[in-house]
Amino acid sequence: MATRFILPLKSDKGKWMIASGIRSSFTCHVAEKYDWLQLQHWLDQNTGYKFGWIGYAAGNDFGGIKLAQDTRDTFPQLFFFVPENLVVTDGKTVEVLSGEMANDCAEWIRMDQQNDNLPVVLTNETTRDEYLSDVARLKHHIQIGDIYEVNYCQVFSAKTTLNDPLSLWKKLYRLTESPHAAYAEYQQWHILCASPERFLSREGDTVRSQPIKGTIRRGTDPEEDDQLKKQLLESKKERSENVMIVDLVRNDLSRFATRGSVSVDELFGVHTFKTVHHLISTLSCTAQPSVTFTDIMAATFPMGSMTGAPKKSAMHLIHDFEKSARGIYSGSIGYLSPNGDFDFNVVIRSLLYDSQTDRLCAGVGSAITAGCDPAYEYEECMLKANALFRALNP
């Protein structure tokens, strides 16, 4: 089966990298600390660009969490590869970075192509009443001091056959135009990602993180749009969620940063996307000399925006309350450059498909805090999932 990754080029907006074929690869279905050491050894032994994904549970060992494997989730927790062929394209022109240009590679990124898949209706594995009850119980854990915040997620799924996952991803991208979107295909596994969130990037010694906490819909006209942005920025609840995750990320970055270099470059930035507004903060630091990719991941993964604070306590509650394993959802997809720079997203607003089992699923979540309204949180989840539903069932 084909192996293809399509990712935005960090340094040149509007261009995409298409990696295909495997020259060398690293795959691990259940990752522990030793496997991360093996991954770093593999990265050190291979030159050129490397592409890969990291599943949510791949960070369990870092947090001291030991969880049973959910058999419904078949995706490897770690998959990285050096492609045989790598091109950069804007959909019109193609530049070959390595290997050869496949005859149809320009077609892979043509966003005006039709979606050739049949309509699919996803079923929520958690009822609304179950969700509201779970959120009320999680708020009790906050009230008694177990946690400050937890990102609670629910899963929508269907048993179906996708004839053309790539064309479905293109439709999803047209609906969202998300800056950290990605398409990944390896053996029977497909990730159709329309993520608005960057997890981590590295450029030289500088490492950046851009956690999202705070969401509101787009307005029907410019005046309403401005009012909604103002409402988001002034929301005590959204600002509280955001600042708690900012504090968590600052702590994570400090584990590998040079002393005094961690900074908050933007706090409560209102960023506008095609379907929603988000409250995003940007943090950066200077990495200590000789800090490796896996050192950085060990300090930060899984991302605080998808766990909560304190991270370890939140991860235990996520395991106890969520109905199924997250798999690749709230994991990360990205690439490493030959010089060691990298760019990795947060896998949200995504469809995950296993063509061998015909399981298609999507996770959505929101931050649960002491002052949150369970019904509002449920509606926020539906807002985040809306583009996924529209892509599947026009």
Side-chain angles (χ1 to χ4, degrees):
M1 295 186 181
T3 298
R4 286 182 293 191
F5 272 50
I6 302 176
L7 295 168
L9 182 62
K10 178 175 179 288
S11 60
D12 198 340
K13 188 176 180 180
K15 291 190 176 182
W16 298 78
M17 290 194 294
I18 302 177
S20 64
I22 294 178
R23 182 156 58 86
S24 175
S25 66
F26 179 92
T27 307
C28 182
H29 279 268
V30 180
E32 297 183 356
K33 288 180 181 177
Y34 173 79
D35 301 299
W36 284 90
L37 294 174
Q38 293 296 102
L39 171 60
Q40 187 60 53
H41 177 73
W42 178 85
L43 292 171
D44 292 340
Q45 295 299 309
N46 285 275
T47 59
Y49 281 86
K50 298 107 175 175
F51 294 76
W53 73 56
I54 305 169
Y56 170 77
N60 286 345
D61 233 8
F62 298 149
I65 314 288
K66 292 291 185 181
L67 307 179
Q69 178 79 348
D70 188 321
T71 56
R72 289 179 297 176
D73 173 42
T74 64
F75 281 72
Q77 289 181 6
L78 293 173
F79 169 63
F80 283 77
F81 75 108
V82 178
E84 287 184 341
N85 309 299
L86 179 60
V87 303
V88 173
T89 179
D90 57 6
K92 299 174 183 177
T93 61
V94 178
E95 175 189 1
V96 179
L97 297 186
S98 63
E100 299 177 347
M101 182 179 71
N103 292 331
D104 58 350
C105 80
E107 295 293 309
W108 292 351
I109 203 62
R110 276 191 54 196
M111 293 299 176
D112 58 346
Q113 288 182 324
Q114 296 298 310
N115 172 28
D116 297 325
N117 300 280
L118 295 173
V120 178
V121 176
L122 297 177
T123 300
N124 197 340
E125 296 181 359
T126 303
T127 68
R128 187 176 186 275
D129 287 344
E130 287 173 335
Y131 177 89
L132 297 179
S133 174
D134 285 348
V135 171
R137 291 163 60 204
L138 286 166
K139 287 183 67 175
H140 175 70
H141 282 279
I142 296 172
Q143 290 160 1
I144 64 176
D146 292 339
I147 50 169
Y148 304 112
E149 176 181 340
V150 61
N151 191 282
Y152 176 56
C153 301
Q154 49 190 313
V155 174
F156 295 80
S157 63
K159 190 171 179 63
T160 188
T161 299
L162 295 182
N163 296 320
D164 188 354
L166 179 57
S167 71
L168 178 58
W169 172 74
K170 291 177 182 180
K171 181 178 181 184
L172 180 60
Y173 179 77
R174 290 198 301 271
L175 289 169
T176 62
E177 297 181 357
S178 296
H180 302 291
Y183 177 80
E185 173 184 344
Y186 169 55
Q187 295 186 7
Q188 77 263 31
W189 300 293
H190 305 259
I191 303 172
L192 291 64
C193 179
S195 176
E197 184 172 358
R198 169 176 281 125
F199 171 37
L200 285 175
S201 68
R202 179 171 188 168
E203 189 170 349
D205 292 331
T206 302
V207 177
R208 287 187 175 85
S209 181
Q210 293 184 291
I212 291 177
K213 271 289 165 274
T215 304
I216 202 165
R217 66 177 177 85
R218 292 293 305 270
T220 55
D221 55 54
E223 184 179 356
E224 186 188 22
D225 219 29
D226 288 340
Q227 291 174 348
L228 289 167
K229 287 193 289 185
K230 185 173 184 289
Q231 180 181 331
L232 176 63
L233 181 60
E234 295 177 352
S235 168
K236 291 182 179 179
K237 169 191 172 291
E238 305 288 21
R239 290 166 74 94
S240 173
E241 289 179 13
N242 196 286
V243 78
M244 278 191 276
I245 297 307
V246 166
D247 284 343
L248 186 153
V249 174
R250 286 174 64 185
N251 182 65
D252 285 351
L253 296 180
S254 70
R255 296 176 183 174
F256 62 85
T258 59
R259 185 181 295 273
S261 70
V262 178
S263 66
V264 180
D265 305 318
E266 181 183 39
L267 185 64
F268 309 142
V270 178
H271 293 242
T272 297
F273 299 86
K274 193 170 182 179
T275 58
V276 294
H277 302 292
H278 279 309
L279 207 60
I280 301 178
S281 293
T282 300
L283 300 92
S284 66
C285 71
T286 302
Q288 296 177 24
S290 304
V291 167
T292 67
F293 172 75
T294 55
D295 290 335
I296 293 171
M297 289 296 161
T300 57
F301 195 85
M303 60 290 300
S305 62
M306 295 305 296
T307 56
K311 187 182 288 188
K312 184 175 180 179
S313 299
M315 289 173 70
H316 276 293
L317 287 172
I318 287 168
H319 176 240
D320 292 342
F321 277 80
E322 292 184 2
K323 303 298 184 289
S324 63
R326 292 187 178 185
I328 299 300
Y329 172 68
S330 66
S332 189
I333 301 174
Y335 70 91
L336 297 97
S337 301
N339 64 358
D341 290 352
F342 60 78
D343 197 15
F344 277 76
N345 72 3
V346 178
V347 179
I348 51 177
R349 322 290 159 81
S350 301
L351 296 168
L352 310 176
Y353 177 58
D354 184 334
S355 62
Q356 196 168 86
T357 63
D358 283 336
R359 174 175 163 82
L360 177 69
C361 66
V364 290
S366 68
I368 308 305
T369 60
C372 76
D373 175 0
Y376 180 89
E377 297 304 321
Y378 186 84
E379 293 308 317
E380 181 177 312
C381 289
M382 297 305 104
L383 172 63
K384 292 173 178 176
N386 183 257
L388 303 175
F389 299 152
R390 289 166 59 200
L392 287 167
N393 196 1

